[in-house]
């Protein structure tokens, strides 16, 4: 099928490479054509994974209408803070039957659908989201991406949930055997691993992160005290899911470290550490672990806990510390049930909307 891939980050490179090698027709769009100049000149990117290194032909474009024309699936592995602008760009181009996939979403399915509807689009679309980027990957330069491993389980929620069957069928064609349906888009958002794994890692490693030129939060930065904090934070996420009536599997983060049952399977943490790609420089005010996983993801988790009546002392404590570190009030200004306009609606009302759509 034709797949449109949006954006120019790590995940977009991996998506284009994998979908092209799988035989799909891939249109790769990025807002600024100049960002694609090196790729357009080369006509290919290099992908490196367990099979070795090889060139994959690509055809990037800055023409969004051409990229979306005939595309059954639109994959947007972009930062969550880009979702609103992306929705505005997409709204006038969408047609009935298309599926947008956000890996992960941070409840971006709702953010984007509302903006698309507010822009006047009545296209009968579905927006789905999952709990992680389907690839552990890093761009090495403008022409190369290294994929450490790929997700084997992607819990996916769809907005509106009534379109789950058809949306999952389309998404599964791009990720064969990996898609696992969950109840709705909020259930999918509450699978997001970023707000669970990254806030403890950056905040409890703040000293060495600011002292050393580079620091690997997943290697020497992952110590037993931090793992215990992960477990407590993840238990709060799972308690929220259970209070809202969402069932297992909840994909506990412990499985990422200890088993092959998590989203990436096969003890992905060991591969992540072994790659060395996460031995990096982190700016604690501006890195996406802070701006996205705390300012959007963790703030959202805390707000859903408040809305659902589930105590979240660890999540709230980390959010407060992050606010001090970044000099921002994430609870007031991050992505929350208040800032997206749902705090005054009951769980029953929200879940009805998630089922039927906007």
């Amino acid at each position: 099928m034709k797949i449109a891939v949006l954006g120019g980050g790590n995940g977009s490179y991996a998506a284009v490479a994998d979908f092209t090698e799988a035989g799909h027709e891939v249109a790769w769009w990025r807002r600024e054509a100049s960002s694609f100049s090196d790729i357009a000149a080369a006509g290919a990117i290099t992908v490196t994974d367990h099979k070795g290194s090889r060139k994959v032909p690509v055809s990037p474009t800055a023409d969004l209408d051409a990229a979306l024309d005939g595309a059954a699936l639109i994959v947007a592995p972009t930062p969550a803070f880009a979702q609103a602008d992306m929705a505005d760009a997409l709204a006038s181009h969408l047609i009935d039957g298309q599926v947008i996939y956000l890996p992960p979403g941070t409840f971006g399915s709702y953010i984007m659908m509302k903006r698309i509807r507010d822009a006047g689009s009545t296209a009968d679309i579905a927006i789905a989201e999952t709990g992680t980027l389907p690839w552990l990957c890093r761009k090495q330069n403008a022409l190369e991406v290294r994929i450490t491993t790929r997700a084997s389980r992607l819990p996916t929620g769809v907005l509106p949930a009534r379109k789950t069957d058809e949306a999952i069928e389309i998404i599964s064609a791009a990720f064969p055997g990996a898609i696992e349906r969950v109840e709705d888009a909020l259930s999918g958002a509450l699978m997001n691993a970023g707000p669970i794994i990254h806030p403890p890692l950056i905040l409890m490693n703040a000293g060495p992160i600011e002292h050393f030129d580079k620091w690997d939060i997943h290697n020497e930065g992952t110590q037993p005290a931090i793992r215990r904090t992960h477990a407590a934070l993840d238990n709060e996420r799972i308690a929220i899911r259970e209070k809202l009536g969402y069932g297992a599997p909840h994909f506990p983060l412990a499985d990422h470290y200890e088993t092959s049952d998590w989203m990436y399977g096969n003890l992905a943490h060991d591969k992540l550490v072994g790659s060395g790609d996460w031995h990096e420089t982190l700016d604690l005010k501006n890195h996406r672990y802070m701006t996205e996983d705390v300012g959007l993801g963790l703030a959202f988790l805390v707000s859903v806990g408040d809305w659902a009546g589930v105590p979240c002392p660890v999540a709230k404590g980390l959010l407060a510390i992050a606010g001090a570190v970044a000099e921002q009030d994430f609870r007031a200004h991050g992505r929350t049930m208040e800032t997206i306009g749902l705090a005054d609606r009951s769980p029953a009302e929200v879940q009805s909307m998630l089922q039927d759509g906007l």
Side-chain angles (χ1 to χ4, degrees):
M1 64 181 177
K2 181 176 178 179
I3 304 174
V5 176
L6 311 183
N10 300 306
S12 298
Y13 273 65
V16 168
D18 272 9
F19 298 156
T20 299
E21 290 199 311
H24 298 289
E25 177 188 352
V26 181
W28 189 5
W29 176 83
R30 194 172 181 181
R31 189 185 302 272
E32 296 180 4
S34 59
S35 300
F36 274 144
S37 57
D38 290 343
I39 297 173
I45 60 173
T46 297
V47 58
T48 300
D49 60 11
H50 68 282
K51 298 178 182 177
S53 296
R54 57 207 177 273
K55 291 188 180 298
V56 178
V58 296
S59 300
T61 180
D63 185 340
L64 182 57
D65 195 45
L68 299 182
D69 184 31
L73 179 63
I74 301 163
V75 178
T78 59
F81 53 74
Q83 291 163 348
D85 287 346
M86 185 173 298
D88 294 342
L90 290 173
S92 63
H93 300 275
L94 298 169
I95 61 173
D96 291 353
Q98 288 180 313
V99 176
I100 301 172
Y101 195 38
L102 309 177
T106 319
F107 210 36
S109 51
Y110 174 76
I111 303 289
M112 290 186 67
M113 186 70 84
K114 187 174 189 309
R115 289 186 75 100
I116 287 167
R117 295 294 181 238
D118 287 348
S121 173
T122 59
D124 185 22
I125 63 168
I127 306 181
E129 60 179 273
T130 187
T132 191
L133 193 67
W135 309 267
L136 281 178
C137 60
R138 278 289 188 270
K139 289 194 299 184
Q140 305 302 299
N141 52 59
L143 295 174
E144 181 179 1
V145 62
R146 182 155 58 198
I147 302 174
T148 300
T149 192
R150 296 168 173 83
S152 55
R153 302 180 68 190
L154 291 169
T156 297
V158 178
L159 179 66
R162 59 180 172 80
K163 295 179 70 70
T164 296
D165 287 345
E166 56 193 273
I168 292 294
E169 182 178 2
I170 290 172
I171 299 167
S172 294
F175 299 96
I179 305 300
E180 299 186 21
R181 60 185 291 160
V182 300
E183 297 89 342
D184 57 38
L186 181 55
S187 178
L190 292 172
M191 292 292 191
N192 192 349
I196 307 302
I197 191 169
H198 292 135
L201 288 176
I202 62 169
L203 296 172
M204 297 176 76
N205 281 284
I209 285 172
E210 292 194 329
H211 177 73
F212 296 106
D213 290 337
K214 293 184 177 182
W215 185 255
D216 190 336
I217 58 174
H218 298 288
N219 188 7
E220 55 266 51
T222 299
Q223 298 297 329
I226 296 175
R227 287 288 313 282
R228 292 194 294 272
T229 305
H230 276 148
L233 178 60
D234 205 31
N235 286 339
E236 294 177 355
R237 175 189 69 88
I238 292 171
I240 293 171
R241 287 183 50 79
E242 291 176 337
K243 179 66 178 291
L244 293 173
Y246 297 132
H250 299 296
F251 287 82
L253 184 63
D255 285 346
H256 168 63
Y257 292 99
E258 299 166 8
T259 78
S260 295
D261 296 331
W262 202 64
M263 300 181 200
Y264 293 112
N266 59 23
L267 293 174
H269 176 73
D270 295 341
K271 293 185 177 181
L272 183 153
V273 170
S275 73
D277 284 343
W278 281 261
H279 186 73
E280 56 189 342
T281 301
L282 301 176
D283 179 337
L284 285 176
K285 286 190 175 183
N286 300 309
H287 195 276
R288 68 178 181 85
Y289 293 160
M290 184 68 79
T291 59
E292 178 163 4
D293 292 327
V294 173
L296 301 184
L298 189 62
F300 181 70
L301 183 70
V302 167
S303 76
V304 176
D306 286 345
W307 173 73
V310 178
C312 300
V314 176
K316 286 186 174 181
L318 288 167
L319 190 65
I321 293 170
V325 170
E327 298 181 309
Q328 297 189 51
D329 187 345
F330 292 120
R331 184 64 182 86
H333 304 297
R335 178 172 295 183
T336 67
M337 293 295 281
E338 291 83 7
T339 59
I340 66 175
L342 293 178
D344 60 349
R345 300 177 67 176
S346 70
E349 290 174 325
V350 169
Q351 288 176 326
S352 177
M353 175 272 292
L354 293 172
Q355 174 63 35
D356 297 330
L358 282 73

